[in-house]
Amino acid sequence: MNFGGVEENVVTREEFPLEKAREVLKDEVIAVLGYGVQGPGQSLNLRDNGFNVIVGQRPGKTYDKAVADGWVPGETLFSIEEACEKATIIQVLLSDAAQIACWPIIKKHLTAGKALYFSHGFAITYSDRTHIVPPADVDVIMIAPKGSGTSLRRMFLQGRGLNSSYAIYQDATGRAWERVIALGIGVGSGYLFETTFKKEVYSDLTGERGTLMGAIQGLLLAQYETLREHGHEPSEAFNETVEELTQSLMPLFGENGMDWMYANCSTTAQRGALDWMGPFHDAVKPVFEKLYHEVECGNEAQRSIDSNSQPNYREKLNAELKALHDSEMWRAGAVVRKLRPENN
């Protein structure tokens, strides 16, 4: 398929329908390890699509969530070790830190011919840091949905699909391609585009820290603070910074493209946007280059591993998240959201 003049390998649901996916995986037992971010969406979609799927999860809050979602202890819900033993395909959807901790258990049950599945290239790409090195006689594959597990599930229930990338790191059986595509269709992908484990983790870590979350929060906060410091009230600053963007403009340029947005706004907005996109680009491009370098050399991965392995990690994280939640911009946002017509 051609993307702006560049040919890429893409697989659609028309080319590889659900019925074909079921046929490819009819003799497989799929174990989804972890029931946190991606686990619920992928496992429930697989179950609803008619695949033989079980869940492996440690005791705790997420185990109870799995039970509430209909997974039955001893039948479809097991310990991580039991699930690995029963499975022919092991989907490792644990957090990166938990993958490192559980790897000895997982590896013990990676017998010849099984498939090891990830939704993130982190563990394999940074294997010198994670020490996750699969045996040579198993398939190592990846489906990486381009969104949260919540979005994957929500779009599935709406009859839609969330686009995913796919990759094959190791094809030991000669069936890795059909296995990974069938799994991509099974978890509810809209279409699948080819990548590598390394490209996926580099783009994913850059995106999370960049325009998906880190950069967008920094950009929004900078504009909000500027408006507030020049005397604008919180409601006006928030509406001009966040509300109009998310409620009016993002749906439009998501549907039609930013080029369409530029062509369909006021001439005053057009002039200003065209004039200022250059300075903003020039200001942030060096930051993105620095970010990509930190991802590429492994520093970001090491920071994540070091931080998430600390015994007080959760307490520190909660304190940082609370500070974000309690900031004036997002307290103003909570009020604005309540005032939306659909909430009244």
Side-chain angles (χ1 to χ4, degrees):
M1 188 172 292
N2 191 290
F3 288 83
V6 179
E7 287 293 330
E8 295 189 37
N9 292 327
V10 172
V11 181
T12 68
R13 291 193 282 191
E14 289 71 29
E15 296 167 323
F16 203 106
L18 181 59
E19 294 73 22
K20 184 175 180 179
R22 291 192 187 115
E23 179 63 25
V24 167
L25 301 179
K26 65 180 179 181
D27 297 322
E28 305 271 19
V29 178
I30 305 165
V32 174
L33 307 186
Y35 211 73
V37 178
Q38 282 288 336
Q42 292 199 33
S43 61
L44 291 170
N45 290 358
L46 284 165
R47 185 177 71 182
D48 289 354
N49 271 334
F51 295 89
N52 185 8
V53 58
I54 60 177
V55 170
Q57 178 58 40
R58 295 169 292 185
K61 186 166 61 175
T62 50
Y63 185 96
D64 297 337
K65 183 180 186 305
V67 172
D69 284 344
W71 301 101
V72 181
E75 294 182 18
T76 55
L77 178 60
F78 302 93
S79 70
I80 287 176
E81 180 148 16
E82 287 178 294
C84 289
E85 185 177 7
K86 293 176 182 294
T88 60
I89 297 173
I90 300 174
Q91 293 193 195
V92 185
L93 302 183
L94 300 157
S95 69
D96 293 326
Q99 288 181 29
I100 296 170
C102 294
W103 177 241
I105 294 172
I106 297 168
K107 186 177 181 179
K108 181 169 66 172
H109 296 286
L110 282 174
T111 52
K114 287 192 176 186
L116 181 64
Y117 167 115
F118 296 91
S119 282
H120 193 20
F122 191 98
I124 296 297
T125 301
Y126 301 115
S127 59
D128 58 328
R129 300 163 190 269
T130 65
H131 307 296
I132 294 176
V133 180
D137 54 4
V138 301
D139 292 341
V140 182
I141 55 181
M142 176 176 64
I143 293 293
K146 298 298 104 181
S148 69
T150 301
S151 298
L152 183 73
R153 181 61 176 167
R154 181 185 298 125
M155 293 174 74
F156 176 85
L157 293 174
Q158 294 170 347
R160 303 161 61 202
L162 181 65
N163 303 329
S164 302
S165 60
Y166 75 92
I168 298 169
Y169 180 77
Q170 187 167 282
D171 184 3
T173 66
R175 297 183 56 237
W177 187 87
E178 67 175 10
R179 273 172 142 179
V180 73
I181 299 301
L183 287 162
I185 298 300
V187 301
S189 303
Y191 69 79
L192 298 154
F193 60 93
E194 187 177 23
T195 189
T196 67
F197 274 64
K198 183 178 288 187
K199 285 182 178 178
E200 190 282 331
V201 74
Y202 286 5
S203 61
D204 188 72
L205 293 183
T206 300
E208 289 169 349
R209 288 147 180 76
T211 60
L212 301 180
M213 294 178 69
I216 193 67
Q217 166 63 14
L219 189 66
L220 295 174
L221 182 59
Q223 178 171 305
Y224 180 87
E225 289 176 341
T226 299
L227 291 172
R228 290 287 289 122
E229 288 161 5
H230 287 271
H232 297 267
E233 299 303 320
S235 59
E236 182 173 56
F238 188 86
N239 271 280
E240 291 294 345
T241 300
V242 179
E243 192 74 354
E244 184 174 355
L245 172 68
T246 59
Q247 301 305 299
S248 175
L249 302 186
M250 286 185 98
L252 287 173
F253 73 74
E255 181 179 342
N256 302 303
M258 184 60 84
D259 55 335
W260 180 93
M261 181 63 68
Y262 271 50
N264 287 274
C265 61
S266 71
T267 55
T268 301
Q270 285 173 341
R271 185 68 269 142
L274 289 166
D275 288 346
W276 280 92
M277 69 178 183
F280 275 110
H281 168 272
D282 295 346
V284 302
K285 182 68 185 297
V287 180
F288 276 101
E289 289 289 354
K290 180 180 179 181
L291 166 58
Y292 193 87
H293 171 73
E294 289 294 288
V295 170
E296 189 176 36
C297 73
N299 286 348
E300 278 297 305
Q302 194 61 54
R303 275 191 284 271
S304 178
I305 292 169
D306 292 344
S307 173
N308 297 347
S309 301
Q310 296 297 317
N312 62 344
Y313 160 71
R314 183 58 59 180
E315 290 79 4
K316 287 184 175 180
L317 175 65
N318 287 339
E320 290 180 283
L321 294 177
K322 185 177 187 300
L324 185 64
H325 176 272
D326 292 346
S327 67
E328 185 191 272
M329 183 170 75
W330 291 114
R331 283 188 287 115
V335 177
V336 170
R337 288 192 295 275
K338 288 179 183 178
L339 293 174
R340 290 176 187 164
E342 66 267 23
N343 294 329
N344 291 286

